Amino acid sequence: MKAGDLKTKSDDQLKDQLLELRKETFNLRFQAASGQLENTARFRQVRRDIARIQTILKQRQGAAAE
C-alpha cells in the first residue's frame, strides 16, 4: 500500500485499517510458530504498512495542534 493512497483516507478509516493490520500480525506470528506460514515476506509488508499509517496519523495530529 502506498502512502499517497493512505493520505486520502479519513482518520477513522486509517484507525480501522491499523487494527486489521495488527490482527494480521498476530495471526502471522501464530502461523510462523506452528510452521504454517508460507509467505514470510508478508511480515515485513504488514510492519511497514503499520508504520506508514502511524506516521500519517501523527502528522495529522501535529498539524491539528498547530
Side-chain angles (χ1 to χ4, degrees):
M1 137 180 13
K2 298 195 178 211
D5 298 336
L6 294 174
K7 288 181 182 180
T8 61
K9 295 186 177 186
S10 69
D11 286 351
D12 291 334
Q13 290 174 327
L14 288 174
K15 288 178 184 177
D16 290 341
Q17 193 165 8
L18 183 63
L19 183 63
E20 290 176 22
L21 288 172
R22 287 185 174 155
K23 287 179 183 178
E24 185 176 354
T25 302
F26 181 78
N27 291 331
L28 287 172
R29 279 186 299 181
F30 271 100
Q31 288 177 5
S34 64
Q36 297 176 351
L37 183 62
E38 295 178 6
N39 186 5
T40 57
R42 184 68 183 143
F43 266 127
R44 183 177 179 176
Q45 292 171 347
V46 171
R47 275 197 335 260
R48 289 185 176 195
D49 288 343
I50 288 172
R52 283 187 189 103
I53 291 172
Q54 288 176 335
T55 300
I56 292 170
L57 288 172
K58 290 286 185 184
Q59 286 174 347
R60 288 183 183 175
Q61 286 176 354
E66 293 178 357

